[in-house]
């Protein structure tokens, strides 16, 4: 297109794009399997195994190619049913959030709702953001007692729907299974 920043795709780019499409497709299929599995613990076990496989073998793995054979996969905790929450969702005041991304740029998120759940420790509310880049998607960040010690200091997240990771609803409530963070 005249005047646009779109560049011609080279043969090398073609393979990288094809690999990215394949990666997204496989992750979307993985989450479809998670949603289709009646037992959340069994779904989590399958999710962990497939993610280990993807990290160890896929060209789009974030693990450097020379380290993949010995990589044990991303760290996850054992499945804890108390971390599977059903949330009532209500609108929230518009708020923009800019977070740094791995490439040095920033990503824009727009808060649109709030999820209310009854967790093991009592009532809990989580902000719901729309990821305004990377194809869009629901983004639910959270921090817990592991943040900065056993997990990333800034917290973790669930429901990156560009990859089909939305676990759907149950009894008209949003499924937030923090075991999949």
């Amino acid at each position: 297109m005249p005047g646009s920043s779109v560049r011609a795709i080279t043969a090398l780019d073609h393979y990288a794009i094809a690999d990215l499409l394949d990666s997204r497709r496989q992750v979307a299929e993985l989450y479809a399997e998670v949603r289709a599995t009646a037992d959340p613990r069994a779904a989590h076990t399958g999710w962990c195994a497939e993610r280990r496989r993807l990290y160890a073998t896929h060209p789009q793995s974030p693990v450097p190619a020379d380290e993949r054979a010995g990589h044990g996969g991303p760290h996850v905790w054992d499945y804890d049913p108390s971390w599977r929450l059903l949330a009532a969702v209500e609108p929230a005041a518009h708020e923009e959030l800019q977070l740094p991304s791995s490439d040095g740029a920033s990503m824009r998120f727009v808060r649109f709702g709030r999820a209310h759940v009854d967790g093991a420790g009592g009532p809990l509310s989580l902000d719901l953001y729309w990821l305004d880049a990377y194809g869009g998607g629901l983004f639910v960040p959270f921090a817990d007692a592991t943040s900065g010690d056993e997990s990333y200091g800034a917290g973790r997240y669930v429901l990156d729907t560009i990859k089909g990771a939305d676990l759907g609803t149950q009894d008209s409530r949003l499924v937030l299974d923090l075991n999949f963070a």
Side-chain angles (χ1 to χ4, degrees):
M1 277 194 317
S4 77
S5 62
V6 176
R7 60 183 173 78
I9 296 176
T10 67
L12 181 60
D13 290 330
H14 165 79
Y15 293 111
I17 291 169
D19 288 342
L20 178 59
L21 287 171
D22 180 67
S23 173
R24 287 186 177 179
R25 188 178 311 110
Q26 287 191 49
V27 172
E29 289 169 0
L30 171 60
Y31 279 99
E33 289 176 25
V34 167
R35 285 188 299 276
T37 303
D39 177 7
R41 184 183 303 273
H44 184 261
T45 298
W47 177 79
C48 291
E50 181 62 8
R51 289 181 71 227
R52 280 191 298 275
R53 185 191 71 75
L54 289 170
Y55 272 66
T57 64
H58 202 279
Q60 285 289 316
S61 172
V63 178
D66 61 341
E67 297 175 22
R68 291 180 189 162
H71 185 69
H75 172 76
V76 293
W77 282 269
D78 291 337
Y79 191 83
D80 182 345
S82 69
W83 280 58
R84 186 176 193 277
L85 309 169
L86 301 180
V89 177
E90 68 179 27
H94 177 96
E95 176 184 295
E96 291 186 18
L97 181 65
Q98 294 281 339
L99 294 177
S101 64
S102 59
D103 66 0
S106 64
M107 292 189 293
R108 180 177 174 257
F109 298 86
V110 178
R111 185 176 67 175
F112 70 91
R114 204 147 168 84
H116 300 283
V117 299
D118 292 322
L124 174 67
S125 294
L126 296 168
D127 286 328
L128 303 176
Y129 291 89
W130 182 255
L131 173 57
D132 199 27
Y134 189 56
L138 180 63
F139 178 72
V140 185
F142 69 96
D144 62 12
T146 70
S147 298
D149 184 29
E150 298 173 75
S151 66
Y152 184 60
R156 294 181 282 157
Y157 66 90
V158 292
L159 300 183
D160 180 9
T161 59
I162 184 69
K163 297 173 184 151
D166 178 0
L167 296 181
T169 60
Q170 180 181 327
D171 301 328
S172 300
R173 292 176 177 258
L174 182 65
V175 175
L176 295 175
D177 194 329
L178 304 182
N179 291 286
F180 291 88

